[in-house]
Structure formats: structure tokens, C-alpha cells
Amino acid sequence: MRDGVRVVLAGPPNAGKSTLLNALVGRDAAIVSDIAGTTPRPDRSAGRDWRHRLSFTDTAGLRDETSDAIEAIGIDRAHARWRRRTSS
């Protein structure tokens, strides 16, 4: 708890992960768009200090296939970030 709690926001494209991140941290930390793949990298994080420090990481939407090479990298990184958080 000394270092805070890390929360990974993961789910399908356009599920509202970036909107949720912005609402949780109280500012426009992530770009919100109707276009799937707007969050290509899972390193967009923002913090909020309630009782303990929380660090939220917004990830690319998780899906099986994409024709966009950059989005594919984001999806791979999102899966890796999710696996790291669930295996700890």
C-alpha cells in the first residue's frame, strides 16, 4: 500500500475505458473518440489520491484481429500489462 494500487482498465474497443479514466482522475487524461484504436499504447496512466494512491492505466481495446499495425502493438501491450497485473 505504500507504493499505491495500480488499476488496469482493459476491455473491448469503445467500451468506455478512456471515459472512465477521465472520470476517475477528474481531468482529460485520455483522448476520447468514437474511433476504435484511439488509445494505441497502454502507457497512458493518471493518478488519483483518495485514501491511498491509485494509479490507473488506460489500455488499447482488446480484440482478436486488427488491420492497423500500431493498434496491434497496443493490443499486445495491453494483454501483457493485464497479465502482469493479474499474476501479481
Side-chain angles (χ1 to χ4, degrees):
M1 292 305 289
R2 181 181 71 235
D3 295 330
V5 176
R6 293 184 184 168
V7 178
V8 176
L9 304 176
N14 287 21
K17 297 175 300 295
S18 296
T19 300
L20 177 60
L21 172 72
N22 289 343
L24 288 169
V25 300
R27 63 183 175 88
D28 289 336
I31 298 169
V32 175
S33 168
D34 290 338
I35 301 168
T38 303
T39 308
R41 297 179 334 242
D43 26 357
R44 186 171 291 124
S45 9
R48 183 73 181 228
D49 193 0
W50 283 298
R51 186 176 176 109
H52 297 284
R53 173 121 175 107
L54 299 175
S55 174
F56 299 98
T57 300
D58 190 13
T59 64
L62 302 176
R63 61 169 126 191
D64 294 331
E65 295 180 21
T66 180
S67 59
D68 185 308
I70 301 300
E71 185 181 13
I73 294 168
I75 292 169
D76 288 344
R77 290 182 181 184
H79 280 289
R81 181 74 56 107
W82 178 253
R83 282 191 302 272
R84 254 185 276 143
R85 297 294 175 249
T86 58
S87 65
S88 299

